[in-house]
Amino acid sequence: MLDGAKTDALLQIRNLTKTFQVPGGAVHAVDDVSFDIPRGSITGLVGESGSGKTTLGRALLRLIEPTSGQTFFDGQDLNALDPREMRAARRRMQIIFQDPVSSLNPRLRVGDIIGEGLRAHGIGSHASRRDKVADLLEEVGLGAELMSRYPHEFSGGQRQRIGIARALALEPEFIVADESVSALDVSIQAQVLNLLLELRERRNLTMLFIAHDLSVVEYLCDQIAVMYLGRIVEIGPARPLYETPAHPYTKALLSAIPLPDPTLERHRTILAGDIPSPMSPPSGCVFRTRCPVAAEICADGRPEAVAVGPSHMSYCKRMNELHATA
């Protein structure tokens, strides 16, 4: 299949790389990442802090410029667009930020925050924009009468709903939700997750949902990509990935999910040490320095994708060997 050709994938990410130059070297935040995000689906992106999840999400939208690689949005290479073309494309893609406090301007009223994108793109009159903001507040579970208030007058969950309304204002087709519930209480998390699911169905949205809580991702997502030190190590449909994880890192992450029944026991895979520095990632498989099944072969060249099921890929140099002896 020709990269960039129209498929059932709204986004096709090809060899995307982001390197930050810092004193003393380079930080390899995203390292040659390739995968597809199917149209109308929610793809979860999980991994430990420092894996490069947020950098990848922002690089897809060109909120930070990728170092190399391509991101095809509905067949169009976003990284090849000039500033004017990219501005037009931004109407079709938005982001919900992690922190609902710092992402909202404390000096603006809620109505102005939500309507900012409409004004920036010259959409509608003042009256029609105000009506649009009122409808968006109602859609995310807040009242239109709240548009004259300031962000500090709302709770954390309400502020996140305001952030969601702002992301919806331009009628996007794709949304990056960057740890959008991690700062909320568990009961509020459930309400926001249900809201995102309702919005996906109502608006036929495609989402990249970035998170570190795998139980949340299981509830919300159709496809899951597991990221470690700037690379995708496993990707596949949510149910098969949770029921039969293939990569040792995925297995370790899933083993850490608390069980709701205290009488049940789960074998925990405890990873040794911390995630290595992205300034000097290990050779070969970047997970090998913490992998419980690492062998000498793992240091020789980066692993290729191995199919472990329909649309389910794992990047492990010992995958075939381990499956044969399982």
Side-chain angles (χ1 to χ4, degrees), residues 117-130:
L118 298 171
R119 292 193 305 275
H121 286 270
I123 298 173
S125 63
H126 175 76
S128 66
R129 289 195 294 266
R130 186 175 177 83

Side-chain angles (χ1 to χ4, degrees), residues 192-256:
V192 174
L193 291 173
N194 286 332
L195 173 62
L196 291 175
L197 285 173
E198 291 169 9
L199 292 170
R200 189 269 291 265
E201 293 300 322
R202 188 183 307 138
R203 291 172 169 261
N204 193 30
L205 289 170
T206 303
M207 296 187 198
L208 178 67
F209 185 83
I210 300 170
H212 62 270
D213 186 337
L214 274 78
S215 57
V216 167
V217 173
E218 180 182 20
Y219 173 73
L220 189 70
C221 298
D222 308 294
Q223 172 181 254
I224 296 169
V226 182
M227 195 169 187
Y228 183 83
L229 206 60
R231 299 183 189 174
I232 300 297
V233 298
E234 185 168 358
I235 185 168
R239 184 174 295 277
L241 188 141
Y242 271 79
E243 293 178 351
T244 55
H247 197 280
Y249 182 58
T250 309
K251 293 178 181 179
L253 291 179
L254 293 176
S255 76

